[in-house]
Amino acid sequence: MAKWDGAVASREEVRELKRRAALRVAARIFNEKGYHATSLDEVADVIGVTKTALYYYFKNKEQLLYECIKLSYGCGQRARLESEAMDGTALDKLSFLYRRFIELLIIERGAYTTMANIRALPEDAQAELLDRRRQLDRYSRMLIEKAISEGSIRPVDVRLTSNFFLGAVNWILRWHTEDDAMSPEEVSEHFLDLFLNGIVKR
């Protein structure tokens, strides 16, 4: 069947656009109210469809949460892969990793992650998501360790520092809304400045 030289979206593309729109709405409500306080009826109502129509894209609320969290970790994975591919020092890569991670999270609008949310999912989904987080944390720690060795940052507890960075980035999705006056680039630059320079005047 003709696709009008790509000018008209295919059925699969339309379906994916609707699915992504549903994920953005669900992630926003999960972030505002929490997973357990959110119902599929509420998500469907905000989208403007029936709950039956929502089942065409997601089999249940658990899958909807899984896809939202997977989207968040996907942003981290993408930032990590882009960081790995670039040249530069460990500090350059570390800075890029978190700047890019923040920008992607704000653009993609995934769900912020808590252990309570992850534990609400089936065991195989829990294992997959936790492994995604471990991969990102391992890469973050490795860069921090190398930056310390290179002398570009002072000796810090690597585990605590990585957890601090990841936790701060994760929490952005709890308070940053789509109509926030600050752009993804502005938020990422401000966070990076806080990460690297703190708040005490030198």
Side-chain angles (χ1 to χ4, degrees), residues 29-128:
I29 300 174
F30 289 153
N31 292 342
E32 291 174 355
K33 296 184 58 177
Y35 170 71
H36 295 289
T38 302
S39 68
L40 278 181
D41 288 299
E42 182 176 7
V43 174
D45 185 58
V46 173
I47 295 172
V49 300
T50 64
K51 186 165 70 172
T52 300
L54 200 56
Y55 282 133
Y56 178 67
Y57 302 95
F58 309 97
K59 63 182 180 181
N60 52 38
K61 192 171 76 162
E62 286 181 348
Q63 187 191 5
L64 193 53
L65 176 65
Y66 163 76
E67 293 290 347
C68 287
I69 297 177
K70 182 180 176 182
L71 181 60
S72 297
Y73 283 138
C75 292
Q77 181 182 34
R78 182 173 162 186
R80 175 176 61 82
L81 293 174
E82 291 180 16
S83 174
E84 289 176 340
M86 67 177 284
D87 295 324
T89 65
L91 182 59
D92 292 334
K93 289 175 175 285
L94 183 69
S95 299
F96 178 88
L97 171 70
Y98 282 102
R99 180 185 295 110
R100 187 66 173 140
F101 188 14
I102 291 169
E103 290 174 359
L104 289 171
L105 271 183
I106 294 175
I107 292 168
E108 296 295 336
R109 307 306 305 178
Y112 82 99
T113 59
T114 66
M115 285 308 300
N117 280 352
I118 292 177
R119 295 305 183 199
L121 298 172
E123 289 188 2
D124 58 339
Q126 292 183 37
E128 177 195 336

